[in-house]
Amino acid sequence: MKKVKIIAGISWAFLGLILIIILFPGLNSFSVSVSKLPFMKLNPIYSGGDIARQMITANCTLDIHKPVFNGFLKEKSTGFVQMDWHGTLPETIKDSVDFDGDGKIDFNILINRKDPITDIEPFNNKVKKVLISTPTSYGWAVRVGLDKN
């Protein structure tokens, strides 16, 4: 019985080694194809969420993302909304933002790109403060903190 277990263990290890040797060259293409499956997507906490609306001007485009309240098991009471400016940006960005799409301005935002200072003037009780305001490879990104209620 002991010899059977030893032979089975060695055979199992050998099969595993052969499988790894066969699969190793194709791991990169395999991982790329798995990442394109419909259920694989980035968590909105990292991506900023899906884009809800775009405001297009002559020089730049403002992408307003859907509000994010993701938690591990359930939605959190606090979250954020992300805005991305793409294109040729002026030194001072000033925009009025309606993040929830109700037709009312929720806040005004003023970004001084030279001094990295971002000011916000909220008109909605859900809007709290600027969480992140940073230059990016495509322009500028800002996350504004929100309360759910």
Side-chain angles (χ1 to χ4, degrees), residues 20-79:
I20 289 172
I21 291 171
I22 291 170
L23 289 178
F24 186 75
L27 283 179
N28 190 34
S29 61
F30 178 70
S31 63
V32 169
S33 61
V34 168
S35 71
K36 292 180 181 177
L37 292 174
F39 61 86
M40 298 292 250
K41 82 186 227 190
L42 282 175
N43 190 320
I45 290 175
Y46 304 112
S47 67
D50 297 329
I51 295 174
R53 278 178 301 294
Q54 279 189 331
M55 294 171 47
I56 300 172
T57 62
N59 294 334
C60 69
T61 301
L62 169 60
D63 292 337
I64 303 171
H65 295 252
K66 292 179 182 176
V68 175
F69 293 98
N70 275 18
F72 183 65
L73 297 175
K74 62 177 186 167
E75 286 192 346
K76 298 190 309 186
S77 61
T78 60

Side-chain angles (χ1 to χ4, degrees), residues 3 11 35 49-50 60 66 71 81 83 85 123-124 126 142:
K3 282 188 177 186
S11 299
S35 71
D50 297 329
C60 69
K66 292 179 182 176
V81 63
M83 288 135 331
W85 285 266
F123 301 119
N124 185 330
K126 295 178 181 179
V142 174

